[in-house]
């Protein structure tokens, strides 16, 4: 590790923002940091949560940590935002009066529910585009907005209608015991906000939280991370404001730009050496 990478690895307590451009060795820093926490600091593997955006990236991170630590990698939680939230909901969604046996709807299923919602409002899916409705609902969920809030924020008749359709869409999902991809994150945030004891359980469980590609987080992911880290504040985020690629999914660049405002005692470590 170069001196900056070493610093990012060894700053274990409190909030840390690692500004890492392409080719700066950020994956190496993240995996070395996890190994350092376990092997040098004596932190149990099950007390660490590492979150990234794709299964491939999560698999690569786990592989590297296992290579460094062997069996000591133990019960380390490394996964995507969605896989982490599915684990939480399978255990605790009952608090929201939903079944733990919920099914997860893909894009095609969600589009079919959008058409169903339109028909319930006597709107022809051939005239009113269900894809537009699906996109609008996605936008709300990425921003952490539930149907009641969407309705209260409506500024015109068109938005009022879409908010009503959103509420109907959600009712259909509840009736068939299903969650779409947006719900997986949104319902976890709702669970944490409404049931502080559930949140406290996960805060105690995951004392150290690491997030890769933080520049690509949207509002609901930002809320999830902040809720999980609000107790211990041992949050390490890695990202590059110049590399955001998920704006179409609601990624909010302000999450990384305002990290220091959210966590006043933040340590900032820029990784400036390019190894490519």
């Amino acid at each position: 590790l170069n001196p900056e990478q070493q610093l990012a690895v060894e700053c274990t307590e409190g909030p840390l923002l690692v500004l890492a451009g392409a080719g700066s060795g950020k994956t190496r820093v993240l995996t070395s940091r996890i190994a350092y926490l376990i092997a040098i600091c004596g932190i149990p593997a099950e007390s660490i949560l590492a979150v990234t955006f794709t299964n491939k990236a999560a698999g690569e991170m786990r592989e590297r940590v296992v290579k460094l630590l062997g069996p000591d990698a133990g019960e380390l939680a490394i996964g995507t935002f969605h896989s982490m939230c599915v684990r939480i909901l399978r255990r605790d969604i009952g608090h929201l009066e939903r079944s733990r046996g919920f099914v997860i709807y893909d894009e095609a299923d969600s589009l079919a529910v959008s058409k169903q919602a339109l028909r319930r409002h006597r709107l022809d899916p051939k005239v009113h585009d269900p894809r537009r409705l699906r996109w609008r609902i996605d936008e709300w969920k990425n921003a952490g907005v539930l149907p009641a809030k969407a309705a209260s924020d409506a500024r015109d008749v068109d938005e009022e209608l879409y908010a009503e359709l959103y509420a109907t869409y959600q009712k259909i999902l509840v009736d068939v015991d299903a969650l779409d991809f947006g719900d997986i994150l949104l319902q976890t945030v709702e669970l944490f906000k409404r049931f502080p004891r559930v949140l406290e359980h996960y805060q105690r469980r995951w004392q150290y939280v690491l997030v890769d590609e933080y520049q690509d987080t949207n509002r609901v992911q930002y809320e999830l991370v902040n809720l999980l880290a609000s107790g211990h504040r041992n949050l390490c985020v890695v990202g590059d404001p110049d590399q955001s690629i998920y704006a179409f999914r609601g990624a909010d660049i302000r999450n990384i730009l305002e990290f220091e405002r959210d966590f006043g005692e933040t340590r900032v470590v820029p990784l400036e050496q390019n190894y490519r």
Side-chain angles (χ1 to χ4, degrees), residues 43-110:
I43 305 301
E46 60 268 24
S47 296
I48 300 169
L49 171 67
V51 186
T52 188
F53 274 81
T54 66
N55 289 320
K56 183 182 175 186
E60 183 185 337
M61 204 184 294
R62 181 178 296 280
E63 211 173 89
R64 290 201 196 187
V65 174
V66 169
K67 205 172 280 185
L68 287 169
L69 291 177
D72 289 343
E75 294 298 309
L76 182 64
I78 298 179
T80 63
F81 277 99
H82 285 87
S83 66
M84 170 191 73
C85 289
V86 168
R87 284 175 63 181
I88 292 167
L89 293 174
R90 288 290 182 210
R91 180 187 183 272
D92 290 303
I93 199 171
H95 292 280
L96 297 174
E97 298 180 356
R98 301 286 296 270
S99 161
R100 291 192 294 177
F102 61 84
V103 295
I104 298 170
Y105 272 12
D106 62 16
E107 290 294 325
D109 297 323
S110 300

Side-chain angles (χ1 to χ4, degrees), residues 64-262:
R64 290 201 196 187
V65 174
V66 169
K67 205 172 280 185
L68 287 169
L69 291 177
D72 289 343
E75 294 298 309
L76 182 64
I78 298 179
T80 63
F81 277 99
H82 285 87
S83 66
M84 170 191 73
C85 289
V86 168
R87 284 175 63 181
I88 292 167
L89 293 174
R90 288 290 182 210
R91 180 187 183 272
D92 290 303
I93 199 171
H95 292 280
L96 297 174
E97 298 180 356
R98 301 286 296 270
S99 161
R100 291 192 294 177
F102 61 84
V103 295
I104 298 170
Y105 272 12
D106 62 16
E107 290 294 325
D109 297 323
S110 300
L111 190 60
V113 176
S114 299
K115 290 176 183 175
Q116 209 176 330
L118 286 166
R119 290 193 189 100
R120 286 199 184 181
H121 286 259
R122 298 182 181 178
L123 299 169
D124 186 348
K126 291 176 182 174
V127 178
H128 300 269
D129 186 359
R131 285 180 179 78
R132 186 174 173 226
L133 172 60
R134 183 73 193 92
W135 173 82
R136 189 70 185 96
I137 290 170
D138 261 350
E139 201 174 46
W140 270 316
K141 290 186 179 183
N142 287 335
V145 175
L146 291 163
K149 178 86 165 73
S152 67
D153 288 350
R155 291 166 297 183
D156 55 40
V157 175
D158 195 43
E159 285 193 6
E160 283 174 11
L161 173 61
Y162 270 83
E164 287 173 21
L165 287 164
Y166 177 20
T168 301
Y169 174 97
Q170 286 302 102
K171 186 178 185 312
I172 294 168
L173 289 182
V174 170
D175 290 345
V176 295
D177 196 16
L179 301 179
D180 65 15
F181 289 142
D183 266 336
I184 290 169
L185 305 185
L186 187 60
Q187 295 302 320
T188 307
V189 168
E190 185 67 4
L191 176 69
F192 285 169
K193 284 181 174 176
R194 285 177 53 190
F195 299 95
R197 285 188 181 177
V198 175
L199 174 59
E200 283 166 20
H201 166 81
Y202 290 100
Q203 287 174 337
R204 284 195 304 271
R205 178 175 175 177
W206 292 317
Q207 292 284 317
Y208 293 83
V209 178
L210 300 87
V211 184
D212 193 13
E213 307 290 5
Y214 192 69
Q215 77 279 353
D216 287 326
T217 52
N218 59 32
R219 187 69 199 180
V220 74
Q221 289 161 336
Y222 161 89
E223 284 193 72
L224 262 172
V225 170
N226 278 27
L227 284 165
L228 279 171
S230 60
H232 49 69
R233 298 177 78 78
N234 294 325
L235 172 62
C236 168
V237 303
V238 179
D240 180 1
D242 297 327
Q243 285 195 77
S244 183
I245 60 169
Y246 287 121
F248 68 97
R249 289 191 199 162
D252 191 340
I253 198 69
R254 288 175 301 177
N255 294 350
I256 193 166
L257 296 177
E258 297 176 2
F259 186 80
E260 291 174 81
R261 182 205 65 188
D262 295 335

